[in-house]
Amino acid sequence: MAPPDARKNFVQTLREVAEKHGLDFSSFSHDWILQLRDKATGQQCSVFGYTFDSNPAAAVEICKEKAATSLVLNGSGVANVPHHVFLSPSNPFTAKYVSKNGIWEPVQEVVKKYGFPVVVKPLKGTGGLDVMKATCWREVEAAVQHIFSREYGLAVCPYKHVVDEYRCICVGTEVQLTYRKVRSSVLGDGERSVGALLAERLQNAKPEGQRSLDRSLRRGKMQHCSGSTTWGMVPLSI
């Protein structure tokens, strides 16, 4: 879930859009449910969290699940990172869909197909939660056990070194907006603490950047990238 400040910015932006175009704006459940209505035509758009009602319900569910998205894209000839689904044999709702031979051998086949490292992740979720890079069989097994202790299924996919991540917002068949995801960070120098590096960053930051870093520090939402001297800040906006 996005930080509180990001949510406020999101809601305020929609308020401004409604005001600019003369639309009625309604808010429910602490701004989690929003509605914009055209008084002249009676057309209405609802927003639940960050989900707009512009897409069919089935399309939304497909997009929520990484493996399902991969399968649909592949079926349409669209390049994507292949995902292989494995359901938990211990979950009462998925056990009957698992072969009596179990899942470990098929998991091994997928890993051998792509070679190490591979990525093991829950079928659903955002923000990188429980997404694990496995560089050996021990790490694969640990990731599988961890995810199955929390989720009904997981996906295994090849590891890709992503330099830049771009996202496109489409309306119909037209791309209206493209943006690049950039996470604020500080790079360790092997000498100073993370706190000292952040203090220097704050001192040199522009006013807006300083306010953003201040908010992150107050929330205490720093994420340590294991095995690296880079510390990433939770994104401050959607």
Side-chain angles (χ1 to χ4, degrees):
M1 185 179 294
D5 287 341
R7 181 65 190 178
K8 290 179 181 177
N9 292 339
F10 176 78
V11 174
Q12 182 58 33
T13 298
L14 291 183
R15 286 184 187 275
E16 293 172 359
V17 169
E19 183 177 353
K20 178 180 178 180
H21 295 280
L23 305 176
D24 285 337
F25 182 91
S26 301
S27 170
F28 308 95
S29 188
H30 304 285
D31 287 340
W32 194 245
I33 302 172
L34 308 173
Q35 290 186 326
L36 288 78
R37 183 175 181 274
D38 187 329
K39 291 175 286 187
T41 65
Q43 290 184 313
Q44 179 172 281
C45 173
S46 298
V47 184
F48 183 85
Y50 294 99
T51 302
F52 289 76
D53 61 5
S54 55
N55 294 308
V60 172
E61 291 303 313
I62 290 171
C63 290
K64 285 181 179 178
E65 188 169 305
K66 305 173 183 72
T69 300
S70 175
L71 290 169
V72 171
L73 291 175
N74 192 58
S76 298
V78 178
N80 65 92
V81 178
H83 285 59
H84 300 264
V85 178
F86 298 97
L87 300 177
S88 172
S90 62
N91 186 298
F93 298 104
T94 58
K96 63 182 179 180
Y97 298 102
V98 177
S99 167
K100 291 184 178 180
N101 293 325
I103 66 159
W104 186 236
E105 186 174 342
V107 168
Q108 289 180 309
E109 291 176 357
V110 171
V111 174
K112 290 176 181 177
K113 176 181 178 180
Y114 297 116
F116 288 110
V118 295
V119 176
V120 185
K121 60 177 74 172
L123 293 180
K124 295 184 178 182
T126 60
L129 182 64
D130 287 336
V131 176
M132 304 177 192
K133 176 184 175 183
T135 61
C136 62
W137 289 113
R138 181 186 63 198
E139 292 178 356
V140 170
E141 189 170 348
V144 169
Q145 290 181 5
H146 174 75
I147 294 174
F148 276 165
S149 71
R150 302 161 61 104
E151 305 286 346
Y152 67 90
L154 57 81
V156 178
C157 65
Y159 174 80
K160 300 291 184 180
H161 178 64
V162 178
V163 177
D164 288 304
E165 179 180 343
Y166 292 88
R167 295 190 176 185
C168 300
I169 297 177
C170 304
V171 177
T173 59
E174 299 292 329
V175 176
Q176 301 293 329
L177 173 68
T178 301
Y179 67 95
R180 180 165 64 102
K181 276 186 70 174
V182 179
R183 291 180 182 269
S184 299
S185 64
V186 291
L187 184 64
D189 59 8
E191 297 179 359
R192 292 175 294 173
S193 67
V194 173
L197 293 168
L198 285 171
E200 181 183 66
R201 176 76 177 276
L202 284 169
Q203 186 175 1
N204 297 330
K206 295 179 180 180
E208 178 55 35
Q210 184 167 345
R211 286 194 293 271
S212 296
L213 284 170
D214 282 339
R215 289 195 296 266
S216 293
L217 288 172
R218 286 198 299 272
R219 288 193 296 271
K221 292 186 175 179
M222 291 184 296
Q223 296 178 324
H224 179 219
C225 300
S226 177
S228 169
T229 55
T230 301
W231 287 65
M233 310 295 289
V234 171
L236 300 176
S237 61
I238 60 169

